[in-house]
Amino acid sequence: MKDFSLEVHGCQYYDATGAISQPIYASATFRHPGFQQSTGYDYSRVTNPTREILEKNMALLERGTKSWAFSCGMAAISTVLKLFSPGEHVLLSEDLYGGTARLVNEIYSRYGIRFEYIDTSDTALVRQRLRPETKGLFIETPSNPMMKISDIHALASLAHANGARLIVDNTFLSPHFQRPLKLGADIVVHSGTKYLCGHNDVLAGFIVVSEGCPDTEAIELFYKSEGAVLDPFSSWLMLRSLKTLGLRLERQAANAAKIVDWLLKQPTVTEVFYPGLPCHPGHDLQARQASGFGGMVSFKVSSAELAKKSLGRLKLIAFAESLGSVESLLTYPIEQTHKESPAELLKKAGVDDCLLRLSVGIEDIDDLIADLAQALKED
Ligand SMILES: Cc1ncc(COP(=O)(O)O)c(C=O)c1O
């Protein structure tokens, strides 16, 4: 099946009624037919029929073999970080989502795992920094918020030659545009709250693993033992959202490209970070490893004062955290998404008080540009 059909139909499961929309099995537990007998469903922390269809669909979309749906992206990322043991070394992209950096710096570092942030868009640097005890590479590509592109295939080869796994946070592009497992990654994680949901009404997270991933059993154990699983109603909402994933993303990306063209001509805009720009250093790589450039655009304005003022002037676009929804959102990373990332890392990555991050929605492009024009004008 081709992408748009797969997004609409998923694993094509129909129950005995033939219902097109999956039933919501709001049951915590399941009746056993007899002693040592099970319908296949015993207790919803472990398996729930609605969530199971969603997980099958996500595995299909990401071209993985198994997927788990979590209560949010951080729960999924936390599960993946538990795969590492004291003494092991993990390399991470230096401009990661701030919540992931906080989890790493303030929680998992306590357990003796050695984390090191580097510019993973520099493959040679990654090769240099691998040590015998490096067991993981955790990347975001495009990175957040500087939109740097890392070479998934090359990093997977480096990781495997070193006995390490490559984990890709695929939140920014979703499987509609990028499928890291096909490029050699071992594990994909998602904040399903973003493009996969697309409507700002569900918190969700996913892990998807490649065929033969040696971590499958360990992930299953953490998932069912810790219970940070997605509830049946949210699972149903996510199933509904996935059907329009491609439609939303194509429109968001088309709007983003037009906004980038417009931003480049604005006197108050000093830099634009978007991998769809031919002059972006990761443009060619992104064109090879993904089928689109996405709907996220970061840009710098002439002063921190203007950046802050523009947020209060917005009329249609919302000044809010998060991304990936049908509504356009403008974020101030240094005070919001990346507030808790180490200051020296932010400085190195170029995240400063003039930087704004726009998650482009599906509104009419003229209305979006008109709103940006009045918000970004110099007094
Ligand atoms: C790239 C990325 N990964 C992970 C997360 C965490 O996901 P959640 O907010 O669903 O826990 C976020 C949240 O903003 C994110 O932007």
Side-chain angles (χ1 to χ4, degrees):
M1 244 190 279
K2 300 239 168 114
D3 295 345
F4 280 101
S5 316
L6 202 56
E7 286 157 12
V8 173
H9 293 280
C11 65
Q12 286 193 300
Y13 171 81
Y14 297 104
D15 73 2
T17 67
I20 298 282
S21 170
Q22 295 304 326
I24 304 170
Y25 287 93
S27 188
T29 192
F30 300 85
R31 180 176 174 270
H32 301 301
F35 179 63
Q36 290 190 331
Q37 289 177 10
S38 167
T39 59
Y41 302 96
D42 301 324
Y43 191 61
S44 273
R45 172 159 37 74
V46 182
T47 322
N48 172 276
T50 314
R51 193 171 71 233
E52 189 181 35
I53 301 298
L54 171 65
E55 292 171 337
K56 284 189 173 155
N57 286 2
M58 270 307 292
L60 278 173
L61 294 184
E62 281 287 4
R63 310 304 196 264
T65 50
K66 187 153 175 60
S67 163
W68 298 264
F70 289 83
S71 56
C72 66
M74 292 319 303
I77 292 172
S78 183
T79 300
V80 163
L81 293 175
K82 286 194 192 80
L83 297 171
F84 300 104
S85 302
E88 291 184 348
H89 174 241
V90 182
L91 289 169
L92 309 130
S93 298
E94 63 189 3
D95 55 331
L96 276 187
Y97 165 58
T100 307
R102 179 179 56 202
L103 190 65
V104 162
N105 302 340
E106 295 186 28
I107 302 182
Y108 283 94
S109 297
R110 289 191 207 164
Y111 302 113
I113 306 164
R114 311 242 162 72
F115 294 99
E116 183 182 350
Y117 294 95
I118 58 167
D119 179 356
T120 54
S121 70
D122 183 345
T123 306
L125 180 67
V126 174
R127 184 182 295 114
Q128 239 179 51
R129 294 293 172 85
L130 285 168
R131 312 180 197 159
E133 64 274 22
T134 308
K135 294 293 168 230
L137 247 76
F138 187 111
I139 65 166
E140 281 181 31
T141 180
S143 67
N144 183 4
M146 299 310 288
M147 313 300 292
K148 285 190 170 174
I149 307 302
S150 297
D151 187 333
I152 299 175
H153 181 67
L155 295 181
S157 306
L158 280 181
H160 297 156
N162 205 68
R165 42 178 98 65
L166 176 66
I167 302 155
V168 180
D169 182 332
N170 202 26
T171 299
F172 264 37
L173 288 180
S174 94
H176 184 75
F177 282 144
Q178 178 169 274
R179 295 182 201 117
L181 301 178
K182 277 189 85 179
L183 296 163
D186 304 279
I187 301 176
V188 158
V189 292
H190 272 281
S191 169
T193 316
K194 309 300 189 305
Y195 286 102
L196 298 175
C197 164
H199 297 77
N200 277 327
D201 50 11
V202 181
L203 282 174
F206 292 94
I207 298 179
V208 190
V209 290
S210 64
E211 194 172 355
C213 175
D215 298 312
T216 307
E217 274 179 32
I219 295 169
E220 178 73 28
L221 176 70
F222 294 138
Y223 172 85
K224 69 179 180 194
S225 307
E226 295 186 328
V229 299
L230 197 64
D231 68 274
F233 183 60
S234 298
S235 298
W236 179 81
L237 281 171
M238 290 300 297
L239 276 167
R240 189 170 130 135
S241 288
L242 288 183
K243 291 177 190 286
T244 55
L245 179 67
L247 271 186
R248 288 184 279 110
L249 264 132
E250 299 278 346
R251 165 89 176 183
Q252 285 160 317
N255 272 353
K258 289 180 191 151
I259 286 175
V260 165
D261 278 351
W262 179 85
L263 284 171
L264 288 170
K265 296 182 202 122
Q266 303 315 303
T268 57
V269 174
T270 56
E271 275 181 280
V272 180
F273 307 92
Y274 184 64
L277 280 171
C279 60
H280 184 288
H283 174 81
D284 293 348
L285 173 59
Q286 169 90 351
R288 281 200 308 275
Q289 71 180 11
S291 57
F293 296 106
M296 297 300 299
V297 181
S298 294
F299 59 97
K300 287 191 184 180
V301 292
S302 47
S303 69
E305 202 195 351
L306 177 62
K308 289 175 197 164
K309 243 188 217 169
S310 67
L311 296 166
R313 288 176 181 160
L314 293 169
K315 294 193 167 93
L316 175 69
I317 300 168
F319 165 35
E321 292 200 36
S322 206
L323 61 109
S325 60
V326 290
E327 303 91 358
S328 296
L329 305 179
L330 191 63
T331 303
Y332 194 41
I334 198 134
E335 287 288 334
Q336 295 183 292
T337 48
H338 291 68
K339 193 174 169 61
E340 295 184 55
S341 296
E344 70 281 3
L345 266 186
L346 293 179
K347 192 163 174 232
K348 184 162 174 268
V351 180
D352 61 23
D353 53 9
C354 294
L355 183 80
L356 293 163
R357 191 192 75 184
L358 180 64
S359 169
V360 181
I362 64 167
E363 299 94 334
D364 189 283
I365 188 64
D366 295 340
D367 291 330
L368 291 176
I369 288 179
D371 199 24
L372 287 171
Q374 64 79 26
L376 295 176
K377 70 174 186 309
E378 200 76 79
D379 288 326

